[in-house]
Amino acid sequence: PPDPHKFAVIINGTDWERYWNDCSAIYNTLIQVYGFTKENIFVHYDEGTSFKGSDFDDPNNPSDDIDYNAHKSTIHKTFQELAGETNTMPEIPELGPEDQLFVYVTDHGDVNGNNSYILLCPNTVWEELYDYELADYVKNIKCAQMIYVMEQCFSGGFVDDMMDFTTYNVQCKNRSIHTAANAVESSWAELHISGGKYDEFVFYWTAAARGYYPSVSSTIQPWLTSYATGSFPFQNYPAL
């Protein structure tokens, strides 16, 4: 059933098909399985639009599921509203001690020295959201739990900053962070099953969270499910 205490921020700064599919798969997982409501999922996507459209779930009941662009300033503003640091966007509430925050990132990533970053909107403004910046953005959010899933290359470099409770005087220490790679390695598209239509790490992570793999038919429809986890016919894929 719908749970008013569950909130999510989905971030993608590159309008590629596999990133759109990643976002759609997790969007539907949150709504179908975990009781998140559309009103409590805040989607930052590229310049605010996509060549695949803005409807992540049911094409028979079209909706605009992309809320904002993925510029650094816009992402920062969302976290400021969730922390109660600002109060100018009535659709984004200040979170409290009974709320859960889920943050999902799928995008390009890179590393600069000892710092990893998310590469935002590379075809336009080209901004870099660094690990220490994201840690600073969320430090004042007063919720019961935070869960982070990060697909981008070098995403493991975010772990030390996001779990640093000394440098950042964080309000919520109940955190977990799941990354596709460590601080010095790349992440990859999922090639063998979907033909590069999803990213590998979040393809399997989302399947585990959902209980079903997303659609892998010739027409990718991430709002639909295919095989239940534990029953996927891997033996039918010779490349594996």
Side-chain angles (χ1 to χ4, degrees):
D3 187 339
H5 292 292
K6 292 182 177 179
F7 296 84
V9 177
I10 296 175
I11 299 171
N12 170 48
T14 306
D15 189 21
W16 284 14
E17 182 177 10
R18 73 173 188 260
Y19 295 147
W20 192 98
N21 292 334
D22 293 343
C23 290
S24 175
I26 195 63
Y27 188 91
N28 286 280
T29 298
L30 297 178
I31 291 175
Q32 295 171 2
V33 182
Y34 293 98
F36 286 73
T37 63
K38 284 176 171 283
E39 294 76 19
N40 288 352
I41 302 176
F42 309 111
V43 179
H44 291 265
Y45 191 100
D46 193 60
E47 293 292 345
T49 59
S50 171
F51 76 95
K52 289 196 68 173
S54 299
D55 185 17
F56 283 147
D57 50 4
D58 184 1
N60 297 317
N61 185 23
S63 59
D64 187 356
D65 301 323
I66 295 176
D67 301 296
Y68 315 106
N69 64 46
H71 294 192
K72 281 178 67 173
S73 60
T74 311
I75 294 169
H76 189 195
K77 180 64 175 173
T78 291
F79 288 120
Q80 285 181 309
E81 294 285 311
L82 293 171
E85 296 171 350
T86 59
N87 185 22
T88 58
M89 301 171 69
E91 72 274 18
I92 305 179
E94 178 183 358
L95 298 191
E98 295 184 352
D99 297 324
Q100 179 196 73
L101 177 62
F102 177 78
V103 179
Y104 178 94
V105 179
T106 181
D107 199 348
H108 291 298
D110 210 332
V111 65
N112 183 1
N114 293 323
N115 297 111
S116 296
Y117 61 83
I118 306 162
L119 181 59
L120 301 171
C121 309
N123 296 321
T124 53
V125 294
W126 191 295
E127 296 178 315
E128 299 164 355
L129 176 53
Y130 278 89
D131 44 13
Y132 56 87
E133 293 177 308
L134 182 60
D136 187 65
Y137 288 179
V138 303
K139 67 181 181 183
N140 291 326
I141 297 176
K142 309 174 200 61
C143 59
Q145 182 186 31
M146 293 180 176
I147 302 170
Y148 294 85
V149 176
M150 311 190 84
E151 173 280 325
Q152 76 276 12
C153 293
F154 310 102
S155 49
F158 278 75
V159 174
D160 57 345
D161 290 272
M162 300 303 296
M163 303 300 285
D164 181 353
F165 303 152
T166 301
T167 305
Y168 309 93
N169 183 24
V170 304
Q171 298 299 306
C172 176
K173 296 182 180 180
N174 184 18
R175 300 182 178 189
S176 61
I177 177 168
H178 310 246
T179 67
N182 65 27
V184 294
E185 65 184 356
S186 300
S187 59
W188 304 94
E190 196 296 304
L191 298 177
H192 298 301
I193 294 172
S194 70
K197 300 299 185 181
Y198 295 93
D199 280 282
E200 186 174 50
F201 171 72
V202 289
F203 177 78
Y204 288 105
W205 194 99
T206 303
R210 195 176 189 179
Y212 290 88
Y213 287 88
S215 165
V216 290
S217 62
S218 56
T219 302
I220 299 293
Q221 297 175 302
W223 52 91
L224 301 178
T225 59
S226 58
Y227 298 94
T229 52
S231 67
F232 196 94
F234 291 102
Q235 67 275 10
N236 293 343
Y237 291 83
L240 295 177

